């Protein structure tokens, strides 16, 4: 190993090497944090919604005649949809996971104004919801049909019972190992509602909401002009049923508009469109940075080969094999990269701390920096191999040429 | 020690073929101090490149220590250069970014010596050329004569059996040239075989045997002597 002489030689010609080391450092810092952001977004995108996404589609029905009997329209629509072969279940709901629009209410453990309130997303629907969403009841019981009430969209009416997610149960009752079943919480300060069931998971409609797992199913059908229908089909039947249901509903009542007919996969894709774009953009930037850094290393190494053509010839004349010449440039690159990588690691941590504090980013995983360091080292070694091989082909006879 | 038989070297481009050496035959025995002289373009440097395994020959045979050199791989040639041959170049060929110690160290590292052994050899080599106190200096901080002495120390550090000197005093003034030639005499007296390529006949006379090269062939007499003989003055 020629570490000592190579290092001493580098310190005699610092400018190019320092610039490349800085480039590596900056690339590493940006790369690490971009990966951390990409990872965070990817993890968000990968969270299960708690529904049987592969077999669910949704559509919206908007009645445009003012005096339409919404109650009977909903009942007829649901009856029609549920009668279709291949349909597992269907509900009318105010929203569903990933829709990016919906309702949330404050729940408190004690009645009265000014008490601590915990927010949960609410899905106003009926006793078919658990089966329609494809979520699972883990404790308690489902709603009985007679527990479902009708109400307007102003939220004045509230049924006596609710079903909540496990996550929300833990949020409401963090200090007890007891089941939340049978416990009473209060909505709108004083209105008591009893928890009768707990489901394993059902995400709120907003993908970026911090309490996304805190969800409540309320057995209340809202009588609004606009309704969302969520339909769960048997596996493989969705593509056939979707257009059929759209057509059936459109034909059954022509005084409304059927629109936004989408599979849950489409809903998910639309919901995470910006995250997906962000991941692609950051991926592109990281790739570009690595490429530019790699080209910088190639450039510096090529320049060094050209500048040291005679020196390489002398080394060859003094007995260096081609492999030793290649190793020389690889070690030189290792030292430059090592410096850049070390500085880059510190920069990356500093930048991540800043991002975590300034933008509430999740701190990066411990393994991102070592992996990025390894990646930069590999990039450096790959980038230098071409110029190094060119150097190894320099003839030792160059040493006897006057110059 | 060194035996070249009918060696030829041809440089080819797309359109031109240059015969740098033709039917070049030479034998140098162990411990000899041989000078190779000739006019510019006569093939001296090509001979040196082939003798030093810096270039491959186009034809003929070359044996070094009884070993046929033409069959060696590039790595084997590097190893022979490193272990058996020391080089002294006209322009010193020190590496400017390395200090004197590291310059002398270069061939020793390729040889794979451990650090203490390398240090011993470097110190001894630099003491021999009188520059032990300048180890941390860089080439640019030394005079031409001192740089050539460092180059000699580097050439000798590996204890080669065979020293090739290419115009070793070409870039030195007379006083420094004499001191370098004195040093070469001393080294030769120690048993190292030396081949010195030079275009100066006065320097060539310091060698025990003189070889004259002309048009890529070994000539029996130097041009000046032959010219004098034809004029009836010798």
């Amino acid at each position: 190993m020629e570490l000592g002489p190579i290092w001493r030689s580098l310190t005699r010609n610092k400018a190019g090497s320092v610039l490349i080391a800085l480039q590596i450092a900056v690339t590493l810092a940006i790369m690490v944090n971009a990966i951390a952001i990409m990872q965070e977004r990817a993890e968000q995108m990968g969270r299960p919604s708690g529904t049987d996404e592969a077999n669910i589609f949704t559509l919206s029905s908007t009645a445009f005649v003012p005096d339409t009997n919404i109650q009977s329209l909903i009942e007829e629509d649901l009856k029609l949809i549920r009668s279709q072969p291949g349909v597992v279940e269907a509900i009318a709901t105010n929203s569903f996971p990933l829709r990016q629009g919906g309702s949330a209410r404050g729940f408190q453990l004690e009645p009265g104004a000014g008490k601590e309130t915990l927010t949960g997303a609410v899905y106003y629907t009926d006793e078919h919801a658990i089966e329609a969403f494809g979520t699972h009841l883990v404790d308690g019981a489902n709603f009985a049909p007679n527990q479902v009430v009708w109400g307007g969209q102003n939220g004045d009416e509230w049924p006596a019972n609710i079903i909540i997610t496990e996550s929300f149960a833990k949020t409401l009752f963090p200090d007890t190992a007891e089941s939340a079943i049978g416990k009473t919480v209060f909505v709108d300060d004083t209105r008591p509602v009893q928890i009768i069931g707990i489901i394993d998971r059902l995400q709120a409609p907003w993908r970026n909401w911090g309490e996304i797992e805190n969800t409540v199913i309320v057995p209340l059908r809202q009588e609004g002009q606009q309704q969302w229908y969520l339909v769960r089909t048997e596996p493989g039947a969705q593509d056939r049923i979707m257009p059929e249901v759209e057509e059936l509903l459109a034909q059954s009542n022509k005084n409304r508009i059927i629109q936004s007919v989408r599979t849950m996969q489409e809903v998910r894709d639309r919901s995470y469109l910006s995250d997906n774009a962000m991941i692609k953009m950051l991926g592109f930037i990281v790739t570009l940075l690595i490429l530019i850094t790699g080209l910088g290393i190639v450039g510096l190494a090529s320049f060094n080969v050209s500048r040291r053509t005679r020196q390489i010839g002398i080394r060859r004349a003094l007995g260096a094999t081609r492999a030793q010449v290649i190793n020389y440039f690889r070690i030189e690159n290792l030292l430059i990269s090592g410096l850049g990588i070390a500085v880059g690691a510190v920069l990356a941590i500093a930048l991540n701390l800043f991002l975590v504090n300034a933008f509430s980013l999740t701190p990066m995983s411990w393994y991102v920096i070592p992996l990025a360091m390894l990646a930069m080292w590999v990039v450096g070694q790959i980038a230098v191999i071409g110029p190094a091989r060119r150097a190894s082909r320099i003839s030792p006879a160059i040493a006897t040429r006057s110059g | 020690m060194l035996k070249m038989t009918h060696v030829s070297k041809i440089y080819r481009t797309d359109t031109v073929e240059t015969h740098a050496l033709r039917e070049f035959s030479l034998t140098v025995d162990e411990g000899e101090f041989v000078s190779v002289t000739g006019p510019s373009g006569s093939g001296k440097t090509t001979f040196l490149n082939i003798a030093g395994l810096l270039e491959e020959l186009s034809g003929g045979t070359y044996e070094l220590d009884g070993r046929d050199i033409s069959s060696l791989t590039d790595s084997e040639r590097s190893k022979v250069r490193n272990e058996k041959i020391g080089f002294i170049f006209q322009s010193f060929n020190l590496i400017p970014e390395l200090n004197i110690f590291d310059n002398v160290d270069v061939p020793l590292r390729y040889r794979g010596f451990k650090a203490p052994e390398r240090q011993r050899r470097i110190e001894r080599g630099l003491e021999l050329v009188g520059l032990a106190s300048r180890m941390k200096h860089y080439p640019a901080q030394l005079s031409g004569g001192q740089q050539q002495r460092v180059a000699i120390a580097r050439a000798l550090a590996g204890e080669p059996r065979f020293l090739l000197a290419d115009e070793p005093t070409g870039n030195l003034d007379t006083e420094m040239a004499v001191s370098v030639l004195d040093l070469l005499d001393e080294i030769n007296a120690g048993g190292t075989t030396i081949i010195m390529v030079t275009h100066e006949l006065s320097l060539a006379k310091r060698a025990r045997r003189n070889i004259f090269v002309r048009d890529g062939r070994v000539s029996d007499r130097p041009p000046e002597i032959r010219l004098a003989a034809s004029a009836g003055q010798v």
Side-chain angles (χ1 to χ4, degrees):
Chain A
M1 290 286 275
E2 290 186 85
L3 276 176
I6 294 173
W7 176 253
R8 288 192 286 277
S9 174
L10 275 175
T11 57
R12 301 273 297 175
N13 284 294
K14 292 191 270 283
S17 307
V18 167
L19 283 175
I20 288 295
L22 275 178
Q23 192 180 352
I24 291 170
V26 171
T27 299
L28 185 82
I30 295 173
M31 182 171 85
V32 162
N33 284 282
I35 288 171
I37 293 169
M38 287 159 72
Q39 202 177 22
E40 186 188 43
R41 298 294 168 106
E43 276 169 13
Q44 276 188 10
M45 288 171 68
R47 290 174 306 192
S49 65
T51 68
D52 179 17
E53 285 186 33
N55 300 304
I56 289 175
F57 70 91
T58 61
L59 55 92
S60 133
S61 163
T62 310
F64 53 79
V65 174
D67 295 330
T68 304
N69 183 339
I70 299 297
Q71 247 189 59
S72 98
L73 180 64
I74 291 172
E75 281 172 345
E76 282 168 19
D77 283 347
L78 288 175
K79 193 175 170 189
L80 189 62
I81 297 169
R82 287 170 184 156
S83 68
Q84 296 305 302
V87 170
V88 174
E89 194 50 279
I91 50 168
T93 177
N94 64 317
S95 190
F96 43 85
L98 302 172
R99 192 177 81 81
Q100 295 297 95
S103 303
R105 300 295 285 265
F107 295 85
Q108 55 199 65
L109 300 180
E110 293 172 34
K115 302 288 182 185
E116 188 191 2
T117 301
L118 297 161
T119 308
V122 288
Y123 292 133
Y124 297 114
T125 177
D126 59 31
E127 77 277 16
H128 298 275
I130 292 174
E131 182 67 7
F133 282 126
T135 184
H136 306 98
L137 194 68
V138 292
D139 200 2
N142 193 3
F143 305 119
N146 62 6
Q147 289 174 317
V148 180
V149 299
W150 285 93
Q153 286 183 304
N154 53 14
D156 288 344
E157 299 82 7
W158 259 81
N161 308 301
I162 54 172
I163 292 173
I164 64 175
T165 56
E166 267 188 313
S167 171
F168 196 34
K170 282 177 188 156
T171 308
L172 287 167
F173 310 105
D175 301 325
T176 174
E178 264 178 65
S179 169
I181 297 296
K183 291 194 187 307
T184 298
V185 291
F186 298 86
V187 67
D188 296 338
D189 293 342
T190 54
R191 187 177 288 167
V193 283
Q194 192 180 37
I195 299 166
I196 63 160
I198 293 175
I199 49 173
D200 58 353
R201 182 168 217 164
L202 188 63
Q203 281 190 334
W206 314 281
R207 62 174 166 74
N208 283 337
W209 189 40
E211 315 298 328
I212 192 169
E213 303 295 341
N214 290 353
T215 306
V216 179
I217 299 177
V218 182
L220 179 141
R221 285 177 179 152
Q222 289 187 320
E223 294 179 71
Q225 295 289 102
Q226 187 190 19
Q227 290 293 322
W228 283 98
Y229 291 121
L230 182 141
V231 183
R232 185 177 173 204
T233 66
E234 288 170 357
Q238 191 182 68
D239 289 348
R240 174 180 59 81
I241 293 171
M242 260 176 77
E244 285 177 8
V245 166
E246 184 182 8
E247 182 63 22
L248 276 171
L249 294 184
Q251 293 303 322
S252 70
N253 186 328
K254 294 189 186 300
N255 294 327
R256 48 106 170 263
I257 301 166
I258 301 294
Q259 58 191 358
S260 305
V261 185
R262 296 185 186 114
T263 65
M264 265 311 267
Q265 186 57 52
E266 287 170 327
V267 172
R268 171 173 281 279
D269 292 345
R270 285 169 66 94
S271 178
Y272 285 114
L273 199 63
S274 60
D275 297 270
N276 215 354
M278 171 77 89
I279 286 174
K280 284 178 182 162
M281 190 185 71
L282 287 175
F284 175 73
I285 289 170
V286 166
T287 309
L288 199 66
L289 271 173
I290 290 173
L291 195 67
I292 290 170
T293 304
L295 287 174
I297 294 168
V298 171
L300 179 70
S302 296
F303 172 69
N304 280 339
V305 170
S306 304
R307 189 170 59 87
R308 297 190 205 145
T309 300
R310 186 171 183 83
Q311 186 190 124
I312 296 160
I314 295 166
R315 287 178 180 275
R316 291 278 284 135
L318 296 175
T321 60
R322 285 181 174 163
Q324 283 169 325
V325 171
I326 290 173
N327 273 344
Y328 181 96
F329 282 92
R330 289 181 61 191
I331 293 168
E332 186 178 72
N333 174 266
L334 193 71
L335 291 172
I336 297 169
S337 301
L339 182 70
I341 287 169
V343 174
V346 175
L347 273 180
I349 292 168
L351 184 60
N352 191 253
L353 287 174
F354 168 75
L355 291 174
V356 168
N357 288 327
F359 303 107
S360 304
L361 199 74
T362 311
M364 67 181 139
S365 308
W366 66 269
Y367 55 83
V368 175
I369 285 189
L371 278 181
M373 289 168 84
L374 182 69
M376 286 311 296
W377 176 77
V378 170
V379 166
Q381 290 294 295
I382 291 171
V384 84
I385 201 76
R389 286 171 70 98
R390 267 203 311 282
S392 75
R393 288 194 289 268
I394 290 172
S395 167
I398 210 163
T400 57
R401 288 178 202 155
S402 53
Chain B
M1 171 92 202
L2 177 152
K3 187 178 179 187
M4 287 186 182
T5 311
H6 304 303
V7 165
S8 64
K9 178 65 185 177
I10 304 168
Y11 295 104
R12 291 187 176 90
T13 64
D14 290 342
T15 52
V16 182
E17 204 171 73
T18 307
H19 291 256
L21 290 181
R22 304 162 190 261
E23 297 292 319
F24 191 99
S25 296
L26 176 69
T27 301
V28 177
D29 293 325
E30 181 113 36
E32 274 198 285
F33 187 169
V34 178
S35 72
V36 178
T37 55
S40 289
S42 59
K44 301 188 300 289
T45 301
T46 304
F47 157 73
L48 185 102
N49 285 347
I50 287 174
L53 278 63
L54 303 178
E55 284 189 88
E56 291 183 42
L57 41 89
S58 306
T61 58
Y62 172 27
E63 288 176 21
L64 189 65
D65 273 345
R67 189 176 185 190
D68 183 8
I69 295 305
S70 56
S71 61
L72 299 183
T73 63
D74 189 81
S75 290
E76 288 167 336
R77 293 166 70 84
S78 296
K79 191 168 156 54
V80 172
R81 274 199 301 273
N82 183 250
E83 291 179 1
K84 294 195 172 179
I85 306 171
F87 288 96
I88 303 168
F89 303 99
Q90 178 179 356
S91 48
F92 324 134
N93 280 350
L94 298 178
I95 295 169
E97 295 147 2
L98 299 180
N99 63 27
I100 301 315
F101 184 96
D102 285 337
N103 260 287
V104 180
D105 195 22
V106 169
L108 302 179
R109 282 181 180 270
Y110 295 138
R111 187 85 163 262
F113 287 133
K114 301 280 181 207
E117 174 66 9
R118 294 203 316 268
Q119 178 147 4
R120 187 183 65 76
R121 286 171 178 258
I122 294 164
E123 285 171 356
R124 195 181 59 188
L126 288 173
E127 272 166 25
L128 179 74
V129 299
L131 289 170
S133 61
R134 303 290 186 98
M135 281 184 198
K136 297 298 170 195
H137 285 63
Y138 284 86
Q141 296 170 308
L142 302 181
S143 69
Q146 286 172 324
Q147 288 188 48
Q148 192 59 299
R149 284 172 173 273
V150 174
I152 292 170
R154 181 177 67 184
L156 294 175
E159 295 174 1
R161 297 181 54 208
F162 186 31
L163 199 60
L164 284 176
D166 179 24
E167 305 277 10
T169 59
N171 283 351
L172 304 178
D173 60 31
T174 310
E175 192 183 344
M176 284 182 179
V178 169
S179 100
V180 166
L181 285 169
D182 288 344
L183 189 56
L184 290 181
D185 274 337
E186 204 179 306
I187 292 162
N188 178 243
T192 306
T193 308
I194 299 178
I195 297 180
M196 177 175 69
V197 168
T198 179
H199 65 277
E200 289 185 45
L201 290 171
S202 58
L203 294 180
K205 284 175 188 163
R206 294 285 296 259
R208 313 280 177 272
R209 180 155 68 107
N210 302 323
I211 304 293
F212 305 101
V213 181
R214 189 180 182 84
D215 296 332
R217 291 188 173 91
V218 176
S219 179
D220 52 351
R221 287 181 174 185
E224 290 82 351
I225 293 171
R226 282 193 292 154
L227 282 170
S230 63
Q233 293 174 0
V234 175

